[in-house]
Amino acid sequence: MAPDKDRERSDKDREQSYVSMLYNQLDALRNYAQNRLSTVLLETGGTPQARSERESFSQLYIDDIAKYDAAENGLCFGRIDLQVEAEDSPVRYVGRVGILDEANDYDTLLLDWRAPMARPFYLATPATPENVLRRRHIRSRSRGVTSLADEYLDLDAARVAGLESDATGVAGESALLSALDAARTGQMNDIVETIQSEQDAIIRSEHRSVLVVQGGPGTGKTAVALHRAAYLLYTYRQQLAKSGVLIIGPNATFLDYIGQVLPSLGETGVLLSTIGNLYPGVRATVQESATAAQVKGSTSMVEVLAKAVRDRQEVPSEPTRLRFDTYEIVLDRKIVTRARGRARSSRRPHNLARPLFVASAIDGLTQQLADKLGQNLVDGGSLLSRDDVADMRDEMKEDADVMAAIDELWPDLSPQQVLLDLLASPERIASAAPLLSDEERRSLVRVGRGFSSADAPLLDELAELLGIDESAEREQANRQWRNQIADAQGALDILTGSAPQDLEDELDPEILMAYDLIDASQLASRQDSGARLTTAERAAGDRTWTYGHVIVDEAQELSEMAWRMVMRRIPNRWMTLVGDVAQTGDPAGSTSWGDVLEPYVAQRWKRTELTVNYRTPSEIMTVARDVLAVIDPVQSVPRSVRDSGNIPWEQRVTEDALVSTVSDRLAEHPRPGISVVLVPEGLVVRFAHLASETITVSTVKEAKGLEFDSVLIVEPADIVAESPRGMGDLYVALTRATQRLGVVHAAELPGELSGLSPFEDVAR
């Protein structure tokens, strides 16, 4: 066997031995956590503090087990050899979690990739070696080392090894290109093994306001955002474990796509949501027209919603005559106007001001009835005492007819009720939105009970305008707690009664029974499932929850109203926004980060940029460059790190042959891999039957943020025409591919796609 093969085999054996040792340590840590969890779960009783501590330890061990399970795949993926004056250079191994040697003064066996000492693994280059002699990428499968890839960053060390140094500036080029060329699986993979220096700088940024990550297609914006979430949770664990991290994505498909990344990095306590699902209890199921989405996304809706709420605070055009205790009383404009003025002058939200309206209206009716009975509330009188008047007021509050009449004039409202009533009524819309055009008002009219993504920020705004009177909820919670205690006491009584009296008399007084170990309130608290919810679960159900950090992917797509919704959830304004203003497709989206952020943080935001395209081959980006030039002539195309060898093509066919041609082209794509057919919205049904486990049929909007091995675009001219920002949608469509791109069309191609080659030439 050749010497270099012997050396490679020897190196691989040594690394396998070390990796096996690390897995043994991981197993020991997992077993310890599982045993401690079992012990904690078996413990009962004790003081409230002891119960709280058990709950905390229980969650700690559950989190640890999840972290160790997530680290199983590719536990150790790197090693760096550092230059020092000592004879033997120190070696640092880098992996998904940190592992210490408890038997040897807690020496570090494996560095967590987020630890400061692991940074040279990502930052070192031949130009700036960061004191690193060699960087080694360790690839493994099922606990077995499969291959090693070494980079010598010191020229002298490289010459000693008989190798040449790589000065491309791409860290771990062979490992990176291997990952990029691998077939897609439908799930996003983490990039923890191949993070590049510009990505690492953003992931570990210490900026404590809004960090904007502008990056073209394929630059790894989403991966950087997710790894930043993992890094922040590692670095600021105590702070963020309590408040949580919220990640907002463009659609549910995208969230499914990225769903396994953070668990693979050992983080499971992050809430993933779309804007449409961010309002608790509401799921976006309705498709909105472009005009309606644009109108609803504008901040002009703030005044429209405020007017819609004010319109529910009515003054009767005719007096309402009521019977109370055999007497007639009249709820007239004077009483209602005074009551409404008092409630509005409090500047409280609608529902919180309602008690003031009710109290004032009741006072007016009581005064009216007292006057009928000859009582003057100012001077005092002989017929009714003040106690009599107070009793009359209390009885009137309990009168169903009186309260029903008052409720009609200032009802207790929910955001869902107000919005559905508004959208279902052209008259209500006309009253609340006089400044909108007739076309805009017509676009808002909708009959049905569902909500769209554009409705969620409106519901959130209405929740602010209405306020929530939580007194009823608190009383219900108290009743529920009293019932739980009663049930727990009943269970203890059964246990007490189940022991025969003669047996109890004979028992050693030192032997404890169930009722000696725990009382009813303690037993009830142990059955309270709400106490065991994770931070993310509790945050998801609480509209007023404020997060420690918020990450928004495809942030350019958010409307002005959506930003108001997001900012309420992050009062400290510590955010990471990733996106590309050249890819804005939503009619209510933004093309300027400054326009979005300056109303909230003025100049306290920082813009960074990702410049290297890791996804899209250079052949495809050459075509996409012409489209970008139309969208933003100033913006540069990110540099692709690789060629695919596949030439992007176009094929013109008849209208009748569109589906069969696409089917034929799909059949020619190599397997394994994931393909997508991107079609105008009007053609989704026509092409839907082509979908399979490896083929997706989708609109561009639904594919935003995703990537596929092969992309077929159908009728790009229609994609451009169906949206005010159609060129942005076309740019997104072109840049979803990691390997191959084709265009099938019957209509004339947009001129910006002239760089595509005829299919006949490519197929030869």
Side-chain angles (χ1 to χ4, degrees):
M1 184 177 292
D4 56 342
K5 291 291 186 182
D6 288 338
R7 183 178 62 184
E8 181 181 335
R9 181 64 176 270
S10 177
D11 283 352
K12 186 176 177 182
D13 289 343
R14 281 196 297 270
E15 299 297 13
Q16 178 64 68
S17 176
Y18 195 85
V19 168
S20 297
M21 180 271 295
L22 291 175
Y23 273 111
N24 290 337
Q25 293 284 340
L26 185 71
D27 289 339
L29 291 170
R30 184 190 290 112
N31 291 336
Y32 173 80
Q34 288 173 335
N35 291 335
R36 290 300 303 147
L37 177 62
S38 299
T39 301
V40 168
L41 293 177
L42 289 174
E43 294 176 354
T44 60
T47 65
Q49 179 180 351
R51 296 197 306 275
S52 176
E53 289 176 351
R54 282 200 302 273
E55 195 70 43
S56 298
F57 279 118
S58 173
Q59 190 60 52
L60 173 66
Y61 295 133
I62 290 173
D63 291 343
D64 281 346
I65 293 170
K67 177 174 65 175
Y68 299 142
D69 288 344
E72 176 71 25
N73 182 30
L75 171 63
C76 173
F77 54 77
R79 160 181 161 170
I80 49 178
D81 300 347
L82 300 179
Q83 174 71 56
V84 294
E85 294 183 2
E87 292 184 3
D88 296 323
S89 298
V91 173
R92 297 178 188 171
Y93 284 89
V94 182
R96 295 179 177 275
V97 295
I99 296 179
L100 303 178
D101 186 358
E102 296 184 11
N104 190 22
D105 294 329
Y106 291 92
D107 286 346
T108 300
L109 299 175
L110 184 66
L111 278 171
D112 189 298
W113 67 273
R114 297 166 287 191
M117 291 180 66
R119 288 206 74 181
F121 181 77
Y122 299 109
L123 297 184
T125 67
T128 55
E130 298 281 334
N131 210 33
V132 176
L133 287 174
R134 179 179 66 177
R135 171 172 46 222
R136 168 170 287 175
H137 290 266
I138 302 172
R139 302 175 197 168
S140 60
R141 182 183 299 120
S142 301
R143 298 196 171 196
V145 174
T146 58
S147 64
L148 307 175
D150 287 344
E151 296 173 84
Y152 286 89
L153 306 178
D154 180 89
L155 296 178
D156 293 334
R159 280 192 290 270
V160 169
L163 301 171
E164 293 185 4
S165 176
D166 175 15
T168 65
V170 177
E173 183 174 15
S174 61
L176 174 63
L177 294 180
S178 176
L180 296 178
D181 287 333
R184 307 300 101 178
T185 64
Q187 289 284 333
M188 184 179 183
N189 297 318
D190 63 63
I191 61 167
V192 65
E193 301 178 26
T194 57
I195 294 171
Q196 300 300 299
S197 59
E198 72 171 5
Q199 296 173 326
D200 184 82
I202 294 170
I203 290 170
R204 300 175 194 261
S205 172
E206 297 182 359
H207 187 67
R208 292 301 294 263
S209 186
V210 180
L211 180 68
V212 174
V213 184
Q214 164 70 36
T219 53
K221 299 183 296 296
T222 298
V224 167
L226 295 173
H227 287 70
R228 177 160 171 76
Y231 171 76
L232 293 176
L233 284 164
Y234 172 86
T235 307
Y236 304 98
R237 177 75 62 188
Q238 185 172 4
Q239 174 185 344
L240 295 180
K242 297 177 181 178
S243 56
V245 172
L246 169 66
I247 297 180
I248 299 174
N251 52 58
T253 303
F254 174 83
L255 296 183
D256 290 340
Y257 175 63
I258 68 171
Q260 295 304 310
V261 174
L262 282 168
S264 75
L265 298 174
E267 301 296 346
T268 57
V270 175
L271 177 64
L272 304 179
S273 180
T274 63
I275 285 293
N277 295 342
L278 192 55
Y279 189 90
V282 171
R283 289 294 176 265
T285 58
V286 175
Q287 291 296 319
E288 202 77 79
S289 71
T291 302
Q294 191 165 9
V295 173
K296 290 181 177 181
S298 169
T299 50
S300 63
M301 286 300 296
V302 174
E303 182 55 35
V304 172
L305 297 174
K307 183 64 166 61
V309 171
R310 288 197 297 271
D311 285 349
R312 306 300 289 265
Q313 302 164 0
E314 300 180 21
V315 174
S317 56
E318 297 292 336
T320 303
R321 300 185 180 280
L322 303 165
R323 300 296 298 182
F324 175 74
D325 195 20
T326 73
Y327 294 96
E328 182 181 84
I329 54 177
V330 180
L331 189 61
D332 57 23
R333 290 182 63 86
K334 181 179 178 181
I335 291 175
V336 176
T337 300
R338 183 186 299 115
R340 187 174 70 169
R342 181 184 175 194
R344 285 182 173 178
S345 64
S346 72
R347 298 189 177 277
R348 297 180 185 177
H350 173 91
N351 288 337
L352 301 185
R354 183 177 177 277
L356 298 177
F357 177 84
V358 172
S360 180
I362 292 292
D363 285 346
L365 292 173
T366 303
Q367 171 82 51
Q368 184 185 107
L369 183 56
D371 289 345
K372 282 191 175 214
L373 297 175
Q375 167 69 4
N376 186 313
L377 295 182
V378 177
D379 300 329
S382 58
L383 295 181
L384 297 174
S385 68
R386 292 190 178 276
D387 288 342
D388 292 332
V389 174
D391 290 341
M392 187 189 307
R393 184 183 292 111
D394 292 340
E395 290 174 11
M396 207 171 284
K397 288 180 181 179
E398 299 298 324
D399 188 281
D401 292 337
V402 172
M403 290 306 300
I406 293 175
D407 285 345
E408 286 187 7
L409 301 173
W410 194 294
D412 187 16
L413 299 171
S414 70
Q416 292 92 323
Q417 176 187 356
V418 173
L419 187 57
L420 289 173
D421 289 348
L422 174 67
L423 299 180
S425 170
E427 293 77 17
R428 289 188 186 275
I429 293 174
S431 174
L435 299 181
L436 295 182
S437 69
D438 291 341
E439 180 186 357
E440 289 172 333
R441 285 197 291 267
R442 283 195 298 271
S443 75
L444 295 179
V445 177
R446 189 181 73 216
V447 178
R449 307 301 297 176
F451 295 101
S452 69
S453 292
D455 288 332
L458 306 189
L459 292 171
D460 204 61
E461 192 73 31
L462 283 168
E464 294 290 312
L465 293 168
L466 295 173
I468 300 175
D469 184 355
E470 296 181 335
S471 57
E473 286 78 2
R474 285 195 297 268
E475 177 57 32
Q476 181 180 0
N478 290 335
R479 285 197 303 271
Q480 183 177 354
W481 176 241
R482 290 193 294 269
N483 291 337
Q484 287 177 336
I485 291 179
D487 291 343
Q489 185 61 58
L492 290 175
D493 291 343
I494 292 173
L495 289 174
T496 302
S498 64
Q501 184 64 44
D502 56 347
L503 177 60
E504 286 198 56
D505 293 340
E506 295 176 6
L507 284 176
D508 188 323
E510 296 300 320
I511 297 178
L512 301 178
M513 303 293 286
Y515 44 81
D516 296 317
L517 297 172
I518 192 170
D519 62 24
S521 63
Q522 293 170 340
L523 181 59
S525 67
R526 291 185 65 80
Q527 302 304 313
D528 183 8
S529 60
R532 296 191 292 274
L533 295 177
T534 66
T535 297
E537 289 168 336
R538 284 183 283 120
D542 185 352
R543 191 194 73 83
T544 62
W545 189 277
T546 57
Y547 295 86
H549 193 82
V550 170
I551 293 174
V552 185
D553 203 340
E554 302 290 351
Q556 76 279 355
E557 301 295 333
L558 269 60
S559 68
E560 294 173 334
M561 290 299 293
W563 281 116
R564 287 174 65 87
M565 184 184 194
V566 171
M567 291 300 179
R568 290 189 188 104
R569 284 150 177 78
I570 187 73
N572 68 6
R573 301 293 191 259
W574 190 20
M575 308 174 70
T576 302
L577 313 180
V578 299
D580 180 11
V581 290
Q583 297 187 60
T584 303
D586 195 290
S590 175
T591 56
S592 167
W593 297 118
D595 291 348
V596 166
L597 296 174
E598 287 177 9
Y600 299 101
V601 294
Q603 300 298 317
R604 294 182 297 105
W605 61 281
K606 178 182 179 181
R607 184 183 188 276
T608 60
E609 188 164 5
L610 293 169
T611 61
V612 179
N613 188 333
Y614 302 100
R615 176 209 301 146
T616 317
S618 60
E619 297 93 337
I620 295 177
M621 288 311 298
T622 298
V623 176
R625 181 181 292 110
D626 293 336
V627 177
L628 179 61
V630 175
I631 301 170
D632 186 352
V634 177
Q635 187 167 325
S636 58
V637 175
R639 175 178 61 87
S640 296
V641 298
R642 66 194 175 100
D643 304 327
S644 68
N646 299 306
I647 301 174
W649 53 265
E650 58 85 13
Q651 183 177 10
R652 189 167 190 177
V653 298
T654 64
E655 176 72 23
D656 293 339
L658 276 175
V659 176
S660 60
T661 303
V662 169
S663 180
D664 291 343
R665 299 293 82 82
L666 288 171
E668 296 166 357
H669 289 170
R671 302 290 189 270
I674 302 293
S675 299
V676 66
V677 181
L678 296 178
V679 299
E681 190 168 338
L683 294 182
V684 171
V685 174
R686 186 176 172 188
F687 285 82
H689 68 282
L690 298 178
S692 67
E693 289 186 3
T694 59
I695 299 172
T696 300
V697 176
S698 170
T699 64
V700 177
K701 182 178 180 180
E702 293 167 342
K704 181 151 287 198
L706 308 181
E707 62 182 19
F708 306 87
D709 296 278
S710 300
V711 171
L712 280 178
I713 302 174
V714 178
E715 294 292 25
D718 291 349
I719 291 175
V720 173
E722 70 181 3
S723 168
R725 291 178 172 165
M727 292 304 292
D729 289 341
L730 181 58
Y731 185 57
V732 171
L734 292 170
T735 55
R736 297 306 93 197
T738 66
Q739 300 292 341
R740 295 166 293 277
L741 171 68
V743 174
V744 179
H745 60 105
E748 193 74 27
L749 274 183
E752 292 77 15
L753 297 184
S754 60
L756 293 168
S757 298
F759 175 74
E760 294 76 11
D761 294 346
V762 174
R764 287 174 185 159

